[in-house]
Structure formats: C-alpha cells, structure tokens
Amino acid sequence: MTERVPYLASRLQGLGTTIFAEMSALAARHGAINLGQGFPDTDGPAEVADAAVAAIRAGHNQYPPGPGIPELRRAVAAHQARFWGLTPDPDTEVLVTAGATEALTAAVLALCETGDEVLTFEPTYDSYLAAASMAGAVLRVVPLRAPTYDFDPSDLEAAVTPRTRLLLLNTPHNPTGKVFSPAELAAVAELCVRHDLVAVTDEVYEHLVFDGRHIPLASLPGMAERTLTVSSAGKTFSFTGWKVGWVCGPAALVSAVRTVKQFLTYVNAAPFQHAVVTGLELDDDFYRQLASGLAAKRDLLCDGLAKAGFIVHRPAGTYFATVDIRPLGADDGADFCRTLPGRCGVVAVPSSAFYTDPAAGRHLVRFAFCKQDDVLVEAVERLATL
Ligand SMILES: Cc1ncc(COP(=O)(O)O)c(C=O)c1O
C-alpha cells in the first residue's frame, strides 16, 4: 500500500502531529495526565460560550460572507488598535480564517511559487514545514540556540538567498516560549526591508506573555506595508476547537490570502464568528487575568520540573515549557516521552518534532501548562518520583 501514498502526503506524514497523536494515545492507554498537546482543560469565558449558543439559536448557521462577518472584522481591527496601535481597515485589510493554521498555510500558498524559500526560526511549529511543502517551497531555518533561544543575526543573513520570498516569524514562540525582544525584532525587520521580503507573523500567543511584552512585527518601521499578522481566538479565549482565526495586513496581500482560502474552506464557523466578537470586546481585566493566571501555572510547573531534576528553560510566554532531560540520565526525548506515561503517568512531547534535524532537539522535551492547578500539582508530584 505505502508505495501508493502520494508523494506530498508521504512527506507530511512524518511531521509533528503524528508524534502528538501517538503521545495522546499513550495518555489514554495509561490514564496519564496529558501535558503533551497544547490545549486548555477548561473552557473559556461563559459569556463567549453563551454568545455562540445565542448565535446558533439566532440562525447564524449558513455560509457567512467570504472575508468573515463584518462585526468580527471590525472587532479584530479594534483589537489591533487597542492593544498594538495597528489600524487595519476592516473592509479590505482583515480576513477571517479557519484558525491561524489556515491563515498561515493560505499565506504561504498565496505568496510562494515552486522553489521559493521561506525563512523561519527553528524549532518551528510543525505546520510551517507542511505549508511550505504544499506550496512546493523550501523551508530554510535559522537556529534559536537553547537554552536562551537567541539567534545569531549573521545566521539569519546567511540564510537569505535570491529565492527567499517570505519570512515567517512566530512570537511568542511555540515550542520554546520565547518572546522576541525589541532588538531582535528590529534586526528581523531591517533584514525584511533590505531584502524586500514579505513577513508573515504567527501571533496566536500574543496575550500569553509573562516577562517582557509582545511587539507585533508589523508595528516596526517599514513593516506595516509588508507584513501579514496572523492570530486566532483559540489560545486567547480557550476555545481551540472553534477554529476562528484572522489575518491582517495590506489589502493586496490579504486579498491574495483570501483567494486561496476560497478554495480551501471558502468560509468557516459562522456562529463562532459572532461569539468571538464578544470575546474580543472583553475588558482589559480579562486579558490581564489570562496572563497572570498562566504565569502562576508556569511557575507551578517549572518549579516542579526543576525539583524533579530537569534543566528548565523557563518560558517568557505561551503555555509551554521546555526541559533538558540529560540530568535524568536520558538523552533521547522521543524514547523518554514514550516511557514517561508508564513510569509516572505523565505525558509530554519530544521537542525533536519541532526540528527539521531531529538530532538538534533530541535532548529536549516540551510540557504544556494550560491545565487546572490541581492537575498540574498532581503532575508535578508524579514527576518527582522519577
Ligand atoms: C504557533 C502556533 N501557531 C498556530 C497554531 C494553530 O492555531 P489555530 O488552532 O488557531 O489554527 C498553534 C496551535 O497550537 C500554534 O502553537
């Protein structure tokens, strides 16, 4: 059978989601605490859920407009202005997508020709390699160096070629939890301007920042006119299953993404689009409490991981923490994660899934802390038995 698997599909099969599915299956088999896949174990704000129910009852159940309902495009534009001082035109510079994933993939498909190169930092969220593969483009990676996850600007410069078309930046960054600093962002922006690159930024963790602050790349000089800013409701409102995302940027680029989206999903999530308007209009307290609540969970998990003997790379944002497993006498994260549920009833994922060269992240493992406090306390107690 395998020789009949089409070429593209067989290339995508090895990517991260495969190992995530394996780890989730292990979690189920062992009744283990699943700190592998990154989704919250509680729902988001009740008023947002109520708004979804109300939208279904009100009959918002047919295809919404192609770019997304006007109310949501206006709410996204207002959010960009309120938090980041960006002023996209809701009519031409905002597009609603099926999660950030569709926005990112459609952007790569829209803007890359076969053989073009997409520049990004590694480790990377696994959908970037898949999106580049689907476009026939090549993903070129610049290493973020553990444990600080800084990068060498000369590596970034050296990775640019005449075929480089896009720079794909994820900040705050999955899996490392890094929040790119103002100086790093300035270096990235300067490179994009100098080489006339389009930037696509994945900012799904924009409100999950504990140390430092989130700065959208689009807000840097020369970047608004060349940046597509992507985010989604999944992480901010803890409704990852609704798959409501958006992309903002110059009208010509957004229109190109929309052309591709039209043939991927056409439109998506009509009633949830209405509910996300309610979410985006929540007051500043909601956003503050989201970050402070997760910061406490980060501390709880990271302190526990350190006590269990791991070297912890404490994240500045997101809901993921990476550890170096070598002090526990292991150096292969995939093997370690496969045996962890049986040894102590906790599931994590090997960071090698986020590297094009798995050897690079071999000794690293990622834990998610978007879980209830008592679940994290129990996980930490179990890990202490290692
Ligand atoms: C960096 C990053 N980008 C995008 C996504 C996917 O977002 P969505 O569920 O909105 O498609 C995730 C989800 O884990 C992520 O970690």
Side-chain angles (χ1 to χ4, degrees):
M1 273 308 272
T2 37
E3 67 275 13
R4 286 170 53 201
V5 173
Y7 176 60
L8 174 63
S10 62
R11 259 193 303 157
L12 300 186
Q13 266 168 5
L15 298 181
T17 36
T18 319
I19 189 101
F20 298 158
E22 182 187 343
M23 293 303 148
S24 290
L26 276 178
R29 189 165 342 128
H30 289 273
I33 298 175
N34 192 349
L35 304 186
Q37 272 186 314
F39 52 81
D41 60 357
T42 45
D43 283 343
E47 58 266 58
V48 180
D50 290 346
V53 174
I56 291 173
R57 290 283 176 221
H60 295 299
N61 300 305
Q62 309 307 329
Y63 295 134
I69 59 168
E71 297 89 327
L72 179 54
R73 284 184 278 122
R74 282 197 293 271
V76 168
H79 167 277
Q80 295 303 93
R82 170 178 161 197
F83 290 100
W84 316 125
L86 298 168
T87 52
D89 177 339
D91 290 329
T92 56
E93 297 183 328
V94 179
L95 169 70
V96 177
T97 56
T101 307
E102 185 190 43
L104 294 161
T105 302
V108 173
L109 288 169
L111 302 174
C112 288
E113 302 278 8
T114 304
D116 281 349
E117 295 181 5
V118 177
L119 192 55
T120 196
F121 293 98
E122 177 159 283
T124 66
Y125 181 58
D126 59 351
S127 80
Y128 304 169
L129 183 55
S133 291
M134 287 190 254
V138 175
L139 194 72
R140 274 196 175 254
V141 296
V142 173
L144 294 173
R145 300 171 300 195
T148 54
Y149 298 108
D150 61 355
F151 65 92
D152 183 339
S154 66
D155 286 346
L156 185 61
E157 187 67 49
V160 179
T161 78
R163 292 308 304 257
T164 309
R165 181 87 178 98
L166 287 186
L167 180 136
L168 189 40
L169 177 77
N170 173 213
T171 183
H173 183 262
N174 178 13
T176 65
K178 172 188 176 69
V179 177
F180 280 70
S181 71
E184 289 172 324
L185 292 170
V188 170
E190 190 275 326
L191 179 110
C192 289
V193 171
R194 190 156 38 81
H195 292 283
D196 195 22
L197 306 180
V198 173
V200 177
T201 65
D202 178 348
E203 306 186 12
V204 296
Y205 299 103
E206 60 192 329
H207 291 293
L208 278 53
V209 173
F210 325 123
D211 308 327
R213 66 193 175 93
H214 173 64
I215 301 172
L217 191 64
S219 65
L220 273 75
M223 292 309 291
E225 60 266 38
R226 62 176 68 250
T227 302
L228 285 170
T229 303
V230 172
S231 192
S232 97
K235 315 294 172 180
T236 302
F237 303 116
S238 301
F239 289 113
T240 58
W242 289 6
K243 298 298 284 189
V244 177
W246 49 86
V247 51
C248 304
L253 294 181
V254 168
S255 161
V257 179
R258 188 182 157 198
T259 304
V260 174
K261 181 203 160 66
Q262 202 169 343
F263 301 107
L264 292 176
T265 55
Y266 174 45
V267 290
N268 60 287
F272 299 125
Q273 290 195 21
H274 288 269
V276 171
V277 174
T278 303
L280 288 169
E281 289 173 350
L282 291 171
D283 60 18
D284 290 353
D285 271 355
F286 164 77
Y287 292 90
R288 267 194 292 273
Q289 281 165 20
L290 174 72
S292 62
L294 275 165
K297 291 180 191 297
R298 171 202 56 182
D299 293 342
L300 173 54
L301 180 68
C302 287
D303 293 350
L305 289 166
K307 269 203 196 104
F310 296 101
I311 298 171
V312 181
H313 303 168
R314 192 173 281 256
T318 75
Y319 38 53
F320 303 110
T322 297
V323 298
D324 184 337
I325 58 175
R326 288 174 297 189
L328 276 80
D331 69 354
D332 183 329
D335 283 351
F336 184 84
C337 289
R338 284 194 178 96
T339 57
L340 196 61
R343 288 169 69 200
C344 75
V346 176
V347 167
V349 291
S351 300
S352 53
F354 302 98
Y355 289 83
T356 47
D357 171 11
R362 193 178 140 91
H363 58 289
L364 302 174
V365 161
R366 190 196 75 177
F367 290 86
F369 52 83
C370 44
K371 308 292 171 186
Q372 295 173 60
D373 286 351
D374 56 340
V375 173
L376 292 174
V377 167
E378 173 67 23
V380 159
E381 280 169 13
R382 293 183 185 190
L383 288 162
T385 64
L386 280 175

